[in-house]
Amino acid sequence: MSKFLGYCCSICQAEYGPDEVTYTCPKDGGNLNVVLDYERIRKQISPEDLAESHDNSIWRYLPLLPVDDPGHLGTPLRAVGWTPLFTPTRLAQHLGLHHLWLKDDGRNPTASFKDRASAVVIARAQMIGAEVVVTASTGNAGAALAGMAAAAGMPVVILAPKTAPQAKVAQLLIFGARVVLVDGTYDDAFDLSIEAAEAFDWYCRNTGYNPFTAEGKKTAAFEICEQYTYAVGAVREPTLHWETPDAVFVSVGDGNIISGLHKGFKDLLSLGWIERIPKLFGIQSEGSAAIYNAFIKGTEEIVPVKADTIADSISVDLPRDGLRALRAASQTGGAYLTVRDEEILAAVRDLARDAAVFAEPAGATAYAGLVEAVGQNLVQKNEHILVLNTGNGLKDVPAAMKAAGEASVIKPNLEALQQALT
Ligand SMILES: *Cc1c(COP(=O)(O)O)cnc(C)c1O
Ligand SMILES: [Zn+2]
Protein backbone atom coordinates (compact mmCIF):
# COMPACT_ATOMS: atom_id res chain seq x y z
CA MET A 1 0.00 0.00 0.00
CA SER A 2 2.99 2.31 0.16
CA LYS A 3 2.30 3.60 -3.38
CA PHE A 4 -0.42 5.74 -1.68
CA LEU A 5 1.56 8.62 -0.16
CA GLY A 6 -1.32 10.86 0.96
CA TYR A 7 -3.12 13.95 -0.27
CA CYS A 8 -2.38 17.43 -1.58
CA CYS A 9 -4.92 20.27 -1.36
CA SER A 10 -5.97 21.71 -4.71
CA ILE A 11 -6.25 25.21 -3.18
CA CYS A 12 -3.42 25.70 -0.64
CA GLN A 13 -1.15 22.78 -1.68
CA ALA A 14 -0.98 21.55 1.96
CA GLU A 15 0.04 17.90 2.15
CA TYR A 16 -1.52 15.25 4.37
CA GLY A 17 -0.69 11.63 5.18
CA PRO A 18 -3.05 8.84 4.08
CA ASP A 19 -4.78 8.66 7.49
CA GLU A 20 -4.58 12.33 8.44
CA VAL A 21 -7.70 13.49 6.62
CA THR A 22 -10.79 11.80 5.16
CA TYR A 23 -12.53 14.19 2.79
CA THR A 24 -11.49 17.80 2.06
CA CYS A 25 -8.71 20.14 3.25
CA PRO A 26 -9.29 21.07 6.92
CA LYS A 27 -7.87 24.56 6.26
CA ASP A 28 -9.94 25.74 3.33
CA GLY A 29 -12.31 22.94 2.28
CA GLY A 30 -10.34 22.43 -0.95
CA ASN A 31 -10.64 19.17 -2.87
CA LEU A 32 -7.76 16.82 -2.14
CA ASN A 33 -5.64 15.21 -4.84
CA VAL A 34 -4.38 11.73 -4.07
CA VAL A 35 -0.56 11.62 -4.18
CA LEU A 36 1.04 8.44 -5.52
CA ASP A 37 4.58 7.09 -5.55
CA TYR A 38 5.23 6.98 -9.29
CA GLU A 39 8.74 5.54 -8.86
CA ARG A 40 7.30 2.54 -7.09
CA ILE A 41 4.46 2.10 -9.57
CA ARG A 42 6.84 2.29 -12.51
CA LYS A 43 8.83 -0.59 -11.05
CA GLN A 44 5.70 -2.67 -10.59
CA ILE A 45 3.94 -2.35 -13.90
CA SER A 46 4.38 -1.12 -17.48
CA PRO A 47 2.16 -0.65 -20.55
CA GLU A 48 3.69 -3.88 -21.87
CA ASP A 49 2.48 -5.79 -18.78
CA LEU A 50 -0.98 -4.32 -19.23
CA ALA A 51 -1.09 -5.45 -22.86
CA GLU A 52 -0.93 -9.00 -21.45
CA SER A 53 -3.66 -8.47 -18.85
CA HIS A 54 -6.84 -10.53 -19.09
CA ASP A 55 -8.68 -8.34 -16.58
CA ASN A 56 -11.07 -6.33 -18.73
CA SER A 57 -12.16 -3.95 -15.99
CA ILE A 58 -10.83 -0.96 -14.06
CA TRP A 59 -9.02 -3.43 -11.78
CA ARG A 60 -6.39 -4.06 -14.47
CA TYR A 61 -5.04 -0.69 -13.23
CA LEU A 62 -4.96 -1.68 -9.53
CA PRO A 63 -1.22 -0.81 -9.23
CA LEU A 64 -2.16 2.79 -10.17
CA LEU A 65 -5.02 3.03 -7.65
CA PRO A 66 -4.70 4.02 -3.95
CA VAL A 67 -6.68 0.99 -2.75
CA ASP A 68 -6.17 -2.71 -2.10
CA ASP A 69 -7.78 -5.39 -4.24
CA PRO A 70 -11.44 -5.26 -3.12
CA GLY A 71 -12.14 -8.96 -3.67
CA HIS A 72 -15.70 -9.96 -4.68
CA LEU A 73 -14.48 -11.84 -7.74
CA GLY A 74 -17.26 -12.90 -10.06
CA THR A 75 -19.49 -9.94 -9.17
CA PRO A 76 -20.38 -6.78 -11.14
CA LEU A 77 -17.90 -4.90 -8.92
CA ARG A 78 -15.23 -6.62 -11.05
CA ALA A 79 -16.98 -5.73 -14.32
CA VAL A 80 -16.74 -1.94 -14.07
CA GLY A 81 -14.94 -0.15 -16.88
CA TRP A 82 -13.08 -1.32 -20.00
CA THR A 83 -16.09 0.02 -21.88
CA PRO A 84 -16.05 -0.10 -25.68
CA LEU A 85 -14.31 2.47 -27.84
CA PHE A 86 -16.25 2.94 -31.09
CA THR A 87 -15.34 4.62 -34.39
CA PRO A 88 -18.66 6.20 -35.44
CA THR A 89 -18.02 6.82 -39.15
CA ARG A 90 -21.42 8.31 -40.07
CA LEU A 91 -21.31 10.67 -37.12
CA ALA A 92 -17.80 11.73 -38.14
CA GLN A 93 -18.95 12.36 -41.71
CA HIS A 94 -21.83 14.56 -40.54
CA LEU A 95 -19.36 16.67 -38.60
CA GLY A 96 -16.72 16.68 -41.32
CA LEU A 97 -14.18 15.08 -38.97
CA HIS A 98 -11.69 12.44 -40.11
CA HIS A 99 -10.95 10.79 -36.76
CA LEU A 100 -13.82 10.50 -34.28
CA TRP A 101 -13.98 8.10 -31.35
CA LEU A 102 -16.88 7.38 -29.02
CA LYS A 103 -16.36 5.67 -25.68
CA ASP A 104 -19.60 4.32 -24.25
CA ASP A 105 -19.63 4.35 -20.48
CA GLY A 106 -23.36 3.69 -20.50
CA ARG A 107 -22.25 0.07 -20.70
CA ASN A 108 -21.15 -0.20 -17.10
CA PRO A 109 -22.89 -2.54 -14.60
CA THR A 110 -25.39 0.12 -13.44
CA ALA A 111 -25.30 1.89 -16.83
CA SER A 112 -23.27 4.99 -16.01
CA PHE A 113 -19.72 6.27 -15.65
CA LYS A 114 -20.36 6.59 -11.88
CA ASP A 115 -19.62 2.88 -11.36
CA ARG A 116 -15.92 3.69 -11.68
CA ALA A 117 -16.05 6.00 -8.66
CA SER A 118 -18.38 3.88 -6.58
CA ALA A 119 -16.32 0.72 -7.07
CA VAL A 120 -13.16 2.44 -5.82
CA VAL A 121 -15.01 4.08 -2.90
CA ILE A 122 -16.33 0.64 -1.86
CA ALA A 123 -12.75 -0.67 -1.97
CA ARG A 124 -11.66 2.23 0.27
CA ALA A 125 -14.65 1.74 2.60
CA GLN A 126 -13.60 -1.88 3.13
CA MET A 127 -10.03 -0.81 3.90
CA ILE A 128 -11.04 1.66 6.61
CA GLY A 129 -13.66 -0.68 8.06
CA ALA A 130 -16.65 1.53 7.26
CA GLU A 131 -19.97 -0.08 8.18
CA VAL A 132 -22.33 2.15 6.20
CA VAL A 133 -21.67 4.29 3.11
CA VAL A 134 -23.85 7.30 2.31
CA THR A 135 -24.07 9.50 -0.75
CA ALA A 136 -26.07 12.38 -2.13
CA SER A 137 -26.88 11.85 -5.77
CA THR A 138 -28.87 13.19 -8.70
CA GLY A 139 -29.45 9.49 -9.40
CA ASN A 140 -26.50 7.86 -11.12
CA ALA A 141 -23.93 8.13 -8.33
CA GLY A 142 -26.51 6.61 -5.99
CA ALA A 143 -27.45 3.85 -8.41
CA ALA A 144 -23.76 3.04 -8.87
CA LEU A 145 -23.10 3.02 -5.13
CA ALA A 146 -26.20 0.89 -4.51
CA GLY A 147 -25.15 -1.58 -7.20
CA MET A 148 -21.53 -1.85 -6.11
CA ALA A 149 -22.60 -2.14 -2.45
CA ALA A 150 -24.97 -4.96 -3.40
CA ALA A 151 -21.99 -6.73 -4.98
CA ALA A 152 -19.92 -6.21 -1.83
CA GLY A 153 -22.76 -6.89 0.64
CA MET A 154 -22.39 -3.48 2.28
CA PRO A 155 -25.29 -1.31 3.56
CA VAL A 156 -25.72 2.10 1.90
CA VAL A 157 -27.95 5.15 2.35
CA ILE A 158 -28.81 7.33 -0.67
CA LEU A 159 -30.18 10.87 -0.52
CA ALA A 160 -31.57 12.05 -3.87
CA PRO A 161 -33.79 14.95 -4.90
CA LYS A 162 -37.41 13.83 -5.22
CA THR A 163 -37.29 14.98 -8.86
CA ALA A 164 -34.77 12.23 -9.82
CA PRO A 165 -35.91 10.21 -12.90
CA GLN A 166 -37.99 7.18 -11.99
CA ALA A 167 -35.64 4.60 -13.52
CA LYS A 168 -32.77 5.85 -11.38
CA VAL A 169 -34.89 5.73 -8.22
CA ALA A 170 -35.93 2.19 -9.22
CA GLN A 171 -32.25 1.24 -9.42
CA LEU A 172 -31.61 2.61 -5.93
CA LEU A 173 -34.53 0.67 -4.49
CA ILE A 174 -33.99 -2.61 -6.31
CA PHE A 175 -30.36 -2.87 -5.17
CA GLY A 176 -31.58 -2.64 -1.58
CA ALA A 177 -30.21 0.77 -0.61
CA ARG A 178 -31.95 2.80 2.09
CA VAL A 179 -33.40 5.49 -0.17
CA VAL A 180 -34.54 8.86 1.06
CA LEU A 181 -35.89 11.39 -1.45
CA VAL A 182 -35.31 14.94 -0.35
CA ASP A 183 -37.96 17.61 -0.94
CA GLY A 184 -35.33 19.97 -2.31
CA THR A 185 -32.46 20.11 -4.79
CA TYR A 186 -29.39 17.91 -5.23
CA ASP A 187 -27.47 20.62 -3.39
CA ASP A 188 -29.81 20.30 -0.39
CA ALA A 189 -29.32 16.51 -0.42
CA PHE A 190 -25.55 17.07 -0.60
CA ASP A 191 -25.40 19.22 2.52
CA LEU A 192 -27.72 16.89 4.43
CA SER A 193 -25.67 13.80 3.58
CA ILE A 194 -22.51 15.40 4.97
CA GLU A 195 -24.32 16.31 8.17
CA ALA A 196 -25.72 12.77 8.44
CA ALA A 197 -22.31 11.17 7.82
CA GLU A 198 -20.87 13.16 10.73
CA ALA A 199 -23.82 12.50 13.04
CA PHE A 200 -24.08 8.75 12.36
CA ASP A 201 -20.44 7.93 11.60
CA TRP A 202 -21.16 6.86 8.01
CA TYR A 203 -18.52 6.95 5.26
CA CYS A 204 -19.53 9.60 2.73
CA ARG A 205 -19.02 9.00 -1.00
CA ASN A 206 -20.16 12.45 -2.14
CA THR A 207 -18.86 13.57 -5.52
CA GLY A 208 -16.31 16.36 -5.24
CA TYR A 209 -15.93 15.69 -1.50
CA ASN A 210 -14.53 12.17 -1.16
CA PRO A 211 -11.04 12.16 -2.78
CA PHE A 212 -11.44 8.55 -3.97
CA THR A 213 -14.18 9.26 -6.52
CA ALA A 214 -11.74 11.05 -8.84
CA GLU A 215 -9.31 8.13 -8.41
CA GLY A 216 -12.01 5.80 -9.73
CA LYS A 217 -12.92 8.15 -12.55
CA LYS A 218 -9.32 8.52 -13.68
CA THR A 219 -9.43 4.92 -14.90
CA ALA A 220 -11.33 6.21 -17.94
CA ALA A 221 -8.24 8.22 -18.92
CA PHE A 222 -6.13 5.05 -18.65
CA GLU A 223 -8.58 3.17 -20.86
CA ILE A 224 -8.75 6.02 -23.36
CA CYS A 225 -4.98 5.89 -23.86
CA GLU A 226 -4.61 2.12 -23.81
CA GLN A 227 -7.58 1.34 -26.06
CA TYR A 228 -6.79 4.21 -28.41
CA THR A 229 -3.21 3.01 -28.73
CA TYR A 230 -4.32 -0.50 -29.67
CA ALA A 231 -6.93 0.88 -32.06
CA VAL A 232 -4.63 3.21 -34.01
CA GLY A 233 -1.45 1.22 -33.57
CA ALA A 234 -2.56 -2.24 -34.56
CA VAL A 235 0.30 -2.46 -37.04
CA ARG A 236 2.96 -0.98 -34.76
CA GLU A 237 5.43 -2.74 -32.52
CA PRO A 238 4.49 -3.29 -28.87
CA THR A 239 5.51 -0.11 -27.10
CA LEU A 240 6.42 1.24 -23.71
CA HIS A 241 4.36 4.33 -24.47
CA TRP A 242 0.71 5.01 -25.07
CA GLU A 243 -0.73 7.34 -27.68
CA THR A 244 -3.36 9.96 -26.89
CA PRO A 245 -6.14 11.52 -28.93
CA ASP A 246 -5.90 15.28 -29.47
CA ALA A 247 -9.04 16.21 -27.57
CA VAL A 248 -11.57 14.64 -25.22
CA PHE A 249 -15.15 15.93 -24.86
CA VAL A 250 -17.04 15.26 -21.65
CA SER A 251 -20.16 16.64 -19.97
CA VAL A 252 -19.73 18.49 -16.69
CA GLY A 253 -21.95 18.94 -13.65
CA ASP A 254 -20.03 18.85 -10.36
CA GLY A 255 -16.83 18.62 -12.40
CA ASN A 256 -15.54 15.40 -10.86
CA ILE A 257 -15.45 13.37 -14.08
CA ILE A 258 -13.36 15.93 -15.96
CA SER A 259 -11.02 16.39 -12.98
CA GLY A 260 -10.76 12.62 -12.62
CA LEU A 261 -9.83 12.34 -16.30
CA HIS A 262 -7.25 15.12 -15.86
CA LYS A 263 -5.77 13.29 -12.85
CA GLY A 264 -5.56 10.08 -14.87
CA PHE A 265 -3.71 11.76 -17.72
CA LYS A 266 -1.39 13.50 -15.22
CA ASP A 267 -0.64 10.12 -13.60
CA LEU A 268 0.32 8.70 -16.99
CA LEU A 269 2.47 11.72 -17.82
CA SER A 270 4.26 11.40 -14.45
CA LEU A 271 4.85 7.73 -15.13
CA GLY A 272 6.27 8.60 -18.55
CA TRP A 273 3.66 6.41 -20.26
CA ILE A 274 2.27 9.24 -22.41
CA GLU A 275 3.96 12.29 -23.89
CA ARG A 276 1.15 14.82 -23.70
CA ILE A 277 -2.30 15.33 -22.25
CA PRO A 278 -5.27 15.73 -24.63
CA LYS A 279 -7.14 19.03 -24.65
CA LEU A 280 -10.07 18.56 -22.28
CA PHE A 281 -13.37 20.14 -23.33
CA GLY A 282 -15.98 20.44 -20.58
CA ILE A 283 -19.57 20.74 -21.81
CA GLN A 284 -22.28 22.17 -19.59
CA SER A 285 -25.95 22.74 -20.15
CA GLU A 286 -26.75 26.40 -20.65
CA GLY A 287 -29.14 25.99 -17.70
CA SER A 288 -26.39 24.73 -15.37
CA ALA A 289 -23.22 26.51 -16.36
CA ALA A 290 -21.41 27.70 -13.23
CA ILE A 291 -17.99 26.41 -14.35
CA TYR A 292 -18.43 27.68 -17.91
CA ASN A 293 -19.25 31.13 -16.52
CA ALA A 294 -16.00 31.22 -14.56
CA PHE A 295 -14.01 29.95 -17.56
CA ILE A 296 -15.39 32.70 -19.80
CA LYS A 297 -14.69 35.35 -17.17
CA GLY A 298 -11.16 34.03 -16.75
CA THR A 299 -11.54 33.72 -12.98
CA GLU A 300 -11.20 30.79 -10.58
CA GLU A 301 -14.11 32.08 -8.52
CA ILE A 302 -17.14 29.93 -9.21
CA VAL A 303 -20.51 31.57 -8.57
CA PRO A 304 -23.47 29.22 -7.97
CA VAL A 305 -26.40 29.28 -10.43
CA LYS A 306 -30.04 28.19 -10.20
CA ALA A 307 -29.75 25.04 -12.30
CA ASP A 308 -32.53 24.15 -14.72
CA THR A 309 -31.92 21.60 -17.50
CA ILE A 310 -33.35 18.39 -18.96
CA ALA A 311 -29.94 16.78 -18.35
CA ASP A 312 -30.63 15.91 -14.69
CA SER A 313 -27.22 14.31 -14.06
CA ILE A 314 -25.46 17.62 -14.71
CA SER A 315 -28.06 19.85 -13.06
CA VAL A 316 -25.97 21.44 -10.31
CA ASP A 317 -26.23 24.82 -8.57
CA LEU A 318 -22.79 24.78 -6.94
CA PRO A 319 -20.24 22.46 -8.60
CA ARG A 320 -18.41 20.58 -5.83
CA ASP A 321 -15.26 20.03 -7.86
CA GLY A 322 -15.38 23.30 -9.78
CA LEU A 323 -11.82 24.53 -9.32
CA ARG A 324 -10.13 21.35 -10.50
CA ALA A 325 -12.71 21.04 -13.30
CA LEU A 326 -11.88 24.54 -14.48
CA ARG A 327 -8.17 23.81 -14.47
CA ALA A 328 -8.70 20.54 -16.36
CA ALA A 329 -9.69 22.62 -19.38
CA SER A 330 -7.46 25.66 -18.89
CA GLN A 331 -4.28 23.68 -18.16
CA THR A 332 -4.69 21.38 -21.18
CA GLY A 333 -5.57 23.98 -23.81
CA GLY A 334 -9.20 22.86 -23.85
CA ALA A 335 -12.26 24.95 -23.15
CA TYR A 336 -15.74 25.07 -21.67
CA LEU A 337 -18.80 25.27 -23.89
CA THR A 338 -22.52 25.33 -23.21
CA VAL A 339 -25.36 23.74 -25.15
CA ARG A 340 -29.14 24.25 -24.99
CA ASP A 341 -31.62 21.54 -23.99
CA GLU A 342 -32.86 21.26 -27.62
CA GLU A 343 -29.30 20.61 -28.76
CA ILE A 344 -28.90 17.97 -26.06
CA LEU A 345 -32.05 16.18 -27.26
CA ALA A 346 -30.84 16.40 -30.88
CA ALA A 347 -27.55 14.84 -29.72
CA VAL A 348 -29.45 11.97 -28.03
CA ARG A 349 -31.15 11.35 -31.38
CA ASP A 350 -28.01 11.64 -33.54
CA LEU A 351 -25.91 9.39 -31.29
CA ALA A 352 -28.59 6.72 -31.45
CA ARG A 353 -29.28 6.98 -35.20
CA ASP A 354 -25.76 7.51 -36.50
CA ALA A 355 -23.69 5.66 -33.92
CA ALA A 356 -26.18 3.20 -32.38
CA VAL A 357 -25.40 4.46 -28.89
CA PHE A 358 -28.40 5.30 -26.70
CA ALA A 359 -27.37 8.00 -24.23
CA GLU A 360 -29.21 9.79 -21.47
CA PRO A 361 -29.32 13.59 -21.90
CA ALA A 362 -26.30 14.27 -19.67
CA GLY A 363 -24.34 11.63 -21.59
CA ALA A 364 -25.23 13.09 -24.99
CA THR A 365 -24.30 16.59 -23.81
CA ALA A 366 -20.64 15.87 -24.60
CA TYR A 367 -21.50 15.17 -28.23
CA ALA A 368 -23.74 18.26 -28.41
CA GLY A 369 -20.66 20.18 -27.26
CA LEU A 370 -18.57 18.71 -30.05
CA VAL A 371 -21.17 19.85 -32.59
CA GLU A 372 -20.89 23.33 -31.06
CA ALA A 373 -17.07 23.21 -31.09
CA VAL A 374 -17.02 22.24 -34.77
CA GLY A 375 -19.36 25.15 -35.48
CA GLN A 376 -17.01 27.51 -33.67
CA ASN A 377 -13.91 26.07 -35.39
CA LEU A 378 -12.43 25.04 -32.05
CA VAL A 379 -11.39 21.67 -33.46
CA GLN A 380 -9.71 20.88 -36.78
CA LYS A 381 -10.98 18.18 -39.10
CA ASN A 382 -7.72 16.23 -38.95
CA GLU A 383 -7.61 16.10 -35.17
CA HIS A 384 -8.33 12.89 -33.31
CA ILE A 385 -11.38 13.64 -31.16
CA LEU A 386 -12.82 11.37 -28.49
CA VAL A 387 -16.31 11.85 -27.08
CA LEU A 388 -17.36 10.18 -23.87
CA ASN A 389 -20.94 9.04 -23.30
CA THR A 390 -21.42 8.90 -19.54
CA GLY A 391 -24.88 7.38 -19.13
CA ASN A 392 -27.37 5.00 -20.77
CA GLY A 393 -30.56 6.34 -22.34
CA LEU A 394 -32.82 3.83 -20.59
CA LYS A 395 -32.21 5.77 -17.39
CA ASP A 396 -34.46 8.58 -18.61
CA VAL A 397 -37.12 7.28 -21.00
CA PRO A 398 -39.37 10.39 -20.93
CA ALA A 399 -36.42 12.49 -22.17
CA ALA A 400 -35.72 9.96 -24.93
CA MET A 401 -39.37 10.09 -26.03
CA LYS A 402 -39.07 13.87 -26.27
CA ALA A 403 -36.11 13.41 -28.61
CA ALA A 404 -37.61 10.54 -30.61
CA GLY A 405 -41.28 11.53 -30.99
CA GLU A 406 -44.27 9.20 -30.72
CA ALA A 407 -44.99 6.03 -32.69
CA SER A 408 -48.24 5.93 -34.68
CA VAL A 409 -51.05 3.53 -33.74
CA ILE A 410 -52.99 1.87 -36.57
CA LYS A 411 -55.74 -0.65 -37.30
CA PRO A 412 -54.14 -4.05 -38.03
CA ASN A 413 -54.44 -4.00 -41.86
CA LEU A 414 -52.07 -3.38 -44.76
CA GLU A 415 -53.85 -0.26 -45.96
CA ALA A 416 -53.51 1.41 -42.60
CA LEU A 417 -49.87 0.35 -42.44
CA GLN A 418 -49.16 1.81 -45.87
CA GLN A 419 -50.85 5.05 -44.85
CA ALA A 420 -48.87 5.23 -41.62
CA LEU A 421 -45.56 4.71 -43.45
CA THR A 422 -46.09 7.46 -46.01
C1 LIG B 1 -22.51 12.55 -12.98
C2 LIG B 1 -22.69 12.57 -14.43
C3 LIG B 1 -22.07 13.53 -15.24
C4 LIG B 1 -21.24 14.66 -14.73
O1 LIG B 1 -20.22 14.32 -13.84
P1 LIG B 1 -19.67 15.41 -12.83
O2 LIG B 1 -18.60 14.77 -12.09
O3 LIG B 1 -20.86 15.79 -11.95
O4 LIG B 1 -19.23 16.58 -13.63
C5 LIG B 1 -22.28 13.45 -16.60
N1 LIG B 1 -23.05 12.50 -17.15
C6 LIG B 1 -23.67 11.57 -16.40
C7 LIG B 1 -24.52 10.56 -17.08
C8 LIG B 1 -23.51 11.57 -15.02
O5 LIG B 1 -24.15 10.65 -14.29
ZN1 LIG C 1 -6.14 23.59 1.52
Side-chain angles (χ1 to χ4, degrees):
M1 262 327 298
S2 36
K3 71 192 162 186
F4 176 27
L5 299 178
Y7 310 91
C8 178
C9 173
S10 58
I11 297 179
C12 70
Q13 312 299 327
E15 291 181 9
Y16 301 96
D19 301 314
E20 235 177 306
V21 287
T22 311
Y23 303 115
T24 52
C25 177
K27 292 183 190 147
D28 50 23
N31 289 112
L32 297 177
N33 294 313
V34 165
V35 181
L36 298 171
D37 185 344
Y38 297 113
E39 269 310 314
R40 180 178 290 267
I41 294 169
R42 215 181 287 122
K43 280 184 199 137
Q44 265 182 12
I45 190 161
S46 72
E48 275 178 320
D49 298 330
L50 280 162
E52 307 285 314
S53 172
H54 295 291
D55 186 342
N56 290 334
S57 77
I58 60 170
W59 303 110
R60 69 196 278 111
Y61 305 112
L62 187 62
L64 286 79
L65 295 174
V67 290
D68 295 339
D69 188 309
H72 309 294
L73 290 173
T75 73
L77 182 73
R78 310 299 302 218
V80 176
W82 203 250
T83 53
L85 182 64
F86 297 125
T87 47
T89 346
R90 287 211 306 284
L91 216 51
Q93 270 163 10
H94 285 187
L95 290 171
L97 297 174
H98 295 323
H99 310 281
L100 181 63
W101 308 81
L102 176 62
K103 186 165 173 64
D104 186 11
D105 253 61
R107 293 179 33 155
N108 270 301
T110 76
S112 90
F113 190 101
K114 298 292 197 295
D115 284 342
R116 297 179 185 274
S118 291
V120 169
V121 168
I122 288 287
R124 175 65 180 171
Q126 289 184 168
M127 286 170 65
I128 62 174
E131 277 163 19
V132 176
V133 186
V134 64
T135 196
S137 170
T138 60
N140 283 340
L145 183 63
M148 295 303 111
M154 188 177 279
V156 290
V157 179
I158 315 289
L159 303 182
K162 68 169 193 210
T163 50
Q166 201 181 23
K168 297 182 184 179
V169 177
Q171 281 188 296
L172 302 178
L173 292 165
I174 206 73
F175 285 127
R178 294 289 301 271
V179 182
V180 188
L181 298 183
V182 176
D183 186 5
T185 62
Y186 165 61
D187 296 77
D188 295 328
F190 196 99
D191 295 336
L192 179 58
S193 65
I194 290 176
E195 236 180 284
E198 273 169 25
F200 307 132
D201 199 25
W202 295 338
Y203 185 50
C204 185
R205 176 220 175 277
N206 281 10
T207 296
Y209 181 64
N210 186 315
F212 287 83
T213 59
E215 290 296 300
K217 289 170 176 180
K218 77 180 186 182
T219 56
F222 302 162
E223 289 174 25
I224 285 172
C225 296
E226 190 177 5
Q227 293 175 325
Y228 174 80
T229 300
Y230 300 157
V232 296
V235 292
R236 279 184 220 149
E237 297 294 306
T239 170
L240 280 165
H241 296 275
W242 283 340
E243 310 283 329
T244 53
D246 297 303
V248 174
F249 281 72
V250 62
S251 60
V252 173
D254 271 318
N256 194 238
I257 293 183
I258 195 168
S259 40
L261 287 170
H262 193 204
K263 174 63 158 54
F265 289 120
K266 285 190 285 190
D267 278 357
L268 297 180
L269 197 65
S270 301
L271 286 167
W273 292 9
I274 60 174
E275 277 162 6
R276 52 165 199 162
I277 294 180
K279 293 178 274 189
L280 297 177
F281 286 85
I283 315 303
Q284 295 209 281
S285 165
E286 200 175 78
S288 174
I291 304 176
Y292 165 85
N293 292 339
F295 183 86
I296 292 302
K297 269 202 202 145
T299 163
E300 286 199 331
E301 191 197 338
I302 292 165
V303 182
V305 296
K306 275 229 96 19
D308 179 19
T309 170
I310 194 169
D312 64 289
S313 302
I314 51 171
S315 184
V316 171
D317 294 351
L318 173 65
R320 306 290 173 156
D321 205 350
L323 178 61
R324 291 192 302 187
L326 196 58
R327 292 176 180 169
S330 60
Q331 293 181 352
T332 59
Y336 270 85
L337 297 169
T338 57
V339 290
R340 288 176 292 118
D341 278 1
E342 304 88 83
E343 293 168 321
I344 293 172
L345 289 178
V348 170
R349 210 163 41 226
D350 290 348
L351 278 174
R353 293 179 185 181
D354 290 332
V357 168
F358 184 13
E360 68 165 278
T365 298
Y367 177 72
L370 175 59
V371 175
E372 180 67 26
V374 169
Q376 291 188 24
N377 276 322
L378 293 175
V379 295
Q380 308 310 313
K381 61 172 183 276
N382 282 322
E383 285 186 299
H384 289 233
I385 314 281
L386 188 143
V387 178
L388 203 54
N389 169 36
T390 41
N392 188 288
L394 289 174
K395 282 174 168 279
D396 190 353
V397 169
M401 293 303 283
K402 258 190 207 164
E406 300 286 328
S408 46
V409 179
I410 59 161
K411 290 270 181 282
N413 63 62
L414 196 57
E415 199 186 340
L417 176 61
Q418 205 157 24
Q419 214 163 35
L421 292 180
T422 50

